[in-house]
């Protein structure tokens, strides 16, 4: 029998006090390091050191096969400095979208599971809340395709006439840009996954599958990426993470902080 005084738990263990029960050797190791360190004032809370605004959830979009490029319906034919040429994967339609309506982003953690330093491989379509007639012809045609297809249905239902502007709105309000990216959830067996955290050379955004760390110091990203890919942190995640099922576990924003 393992007995635990829940009222006296350090903050590190508050994220999942059920980890105190059962015969888990990881708990004994981490208790000896983190609990002792916290009691001696050697382990700080991230929110106290960097502030709660350090972390933000990625962009939630209603219809990835419209708001993300490439997607299951459109591929990228040419990626130029000022425009992106896309083509229908089924058919011969081709459109040119100006880069001023596109924002580089990370799509999902599984695409970047083997490298710590990564580059964005997708774009968000970020359209301001203007009448469709104010957009270039190819952009207006793409919006028309979205409204006629089922891909933009959830956005149209949720946001009304200017449904195509909700990604633009989130980018303006949340400012979800950074260089360190932590996955929303992972397989605790780490099957088909080599790394946990990723960083980029410049600030970009990401989908809601990531938490984005914001900092003014570029070197901090590399240091934090090292910590979040370390055996000690991953042990903590596996022990006190919030199990969603036998195949998924996660940390929430407060857990990271």
């Amino acid at each position: 029998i393992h007995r635990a005084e829940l009222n006296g738990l350090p903050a590190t263990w508050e994220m999942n006090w059920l980890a105190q029960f059962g015969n888990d050797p990881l708990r004994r190791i981490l208790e000896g390091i983190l609990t002792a360190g916290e009691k001696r004032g050697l382990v700080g809370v991230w929110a106290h050191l960097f502030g709660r605004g350090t972390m933000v959830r990625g962009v939630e979009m209603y219809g990835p096969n419209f708001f993300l490029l490439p997607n299951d319906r459109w591929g990228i034919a040419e990626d130029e400095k000022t425009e992106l040429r896309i083509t229908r994967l089924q058919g011969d339609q081709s459109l040119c979208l100006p880069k001023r309506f596109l924002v580089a982003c990370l799509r999902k953690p599984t695409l970047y599971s083997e490298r710590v330093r990564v580059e964005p491989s997708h774009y968000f379509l970020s359209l301001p809340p203007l009448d469709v007639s104010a957009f270039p012809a190819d952009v207006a045609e793409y919006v028309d395709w979205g409204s006629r297809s089922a891909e933009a249905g959830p956005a149209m239902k949720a946001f009304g006439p200017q449904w195509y502007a909700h990604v633009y709105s989130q980018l303006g309000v949340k400012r979800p840009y950074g260089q360190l990216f932590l996955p929303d959830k992972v397989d605790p067996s780490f099957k088909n996954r080599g790394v946990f955290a990723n960083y980029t050379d410049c600030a970009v955004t990401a989908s809601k599958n990531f938490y984005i760390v914001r900092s003014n110091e570029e070197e901090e990203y590399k240091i934090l990426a090292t910590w979040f890919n370390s055996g000690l942190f991953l042990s903590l995640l596996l022990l006190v993470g919030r199990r969603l099922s036998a195949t998924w576990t996660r940390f929430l924003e407060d857990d990271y902080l």
Side-chain angles (χ1 to χ4, degrees):
I1 296 175
H2 177 77
R3 300 184 182 276
E5 178 57 52
L6 300 183
N7 287 332
L9 282 181
T12 307
W13 299 101
E14 282 293 341
M15 60 188 76
N16 186 356
W17 53 261
L18 288 174
Q20 292 292 319
F21 297 92
N23 184 23
D24 194 325
L26 273 180
R27 183 186 63 243
R28 293 194 295 273
I29 295 172
L30 291 173
E31 280 180 340
I33 299 173
L34 291 178
T35 303
E38 194 163 18
K39 289 180 177 178
R40 296 173 185 173
L42 302 176
V43 178
V45 179
W46 192 0
H48 296 165
L49 298 174
F50 296 100
R52 297 200 63 85
T54 303
M55 176 173 279
V56 63
R57 188 74 178 269
V59 174
E60 181 175 10
M61 76 211 104
Y62 289 65
N65 282 330
F66 177 85
F67 291 100
L68 271 172
L69 292 164
N71 56 50
D72 293 342
R73 303 289 181 264
W74 295 81
I76 295 177
E78 296 180 26
D79 190 344
E80 303 293 343
K81 184 176 181 180
T82 60
E83 66 181 19
L84 189 75
R85 178 174 290 278
I86 61 174
T87 57
R88 284 283 296 275
L89 299 182
Q90 294 181 346
D92 57 359
Q93 188 177 11
S94 178
L95 299 172
C96 282
L97 307 180
K99 282 286 187 72
R100 66 179 183 274
F101 298 117
L102 300 170
V103 179
C105 68
L106 302 189
R107 169 69 175 95
K108 54 185 177 181
T110 53
L111 296 176
Y112 318 100
S113 61
E114 297 302 325
R115 295 180 63 87
V116 178
R117 176 178 171 270
V118 298
E119 295 181 0
S121 56
H122 287 71
Y123 291 96
F124 280 132
L125 182 66
S126 177
L127 298 176
L130 304 174
D131 189 84
V132 177
S133 62
F135 298 137
D138 279 13
V139 175
E141 189 171 345
Y142 185 74
V143 173
D144 180 63
W145 169 83
S147 63
R148 287 185 287 103
S149 71
E151 304 299 345
M156 297 173 70
K157 183 177 180 180
F159 300 103
Q162 293 185 330
W163 54 272
Y164 45 81
H166 80 275
V167 169
Y168 177 93
S169 177
Q170 281 191 68
L171 291 172
V173 173
K174 293 172 63 174
R175 303 301 300 169
Y177 298 96
Q179 290 179 245
L180 180 65
F181 302 87
L182 309 174
D184 169 52
K185 59 183 179 181
V186 292
D187 180 348
S189 71
F190 273 69
K191 183 179 180 181
N192 300 322
R193 186 173 188 86
V195 301
F196 180 78
N198 307 107
Y199 77 88
T200 55
D201 286 335
C202 59
V204 297
T205 187
S207 71
K208 71 171 184 176
N209 297 312
F210 292 93
Y211 288 100
I212 304 168
V213 177
R214 298 185 286 202
S215 171
N216 294 323
E217 300 295 333
E218 184 173 348
E219 288 305 313
E220 283 183 358
Y221 291 116
K222 297 178 182 180
I223 295 169
L224 289 172
T226 302
W227 159 243
F228 285 118
N229 285 307
S230 70
L232 181 58
F233 171 78
L234 296 180
S235 297
L236 183 64
L237 170 70
L238 296 178
L239 181 60
V240 300
R242 300 172 187 263
R243 282 293 184 105
L244 301 174
S245 66
T247 56
W248 293 107
T249 190
R250 76 192 314 183
F251 267 2
L252 299 179
E253 182 178 345
D254 282 346
D255 300 333
Y256 282 119
L257 292 172

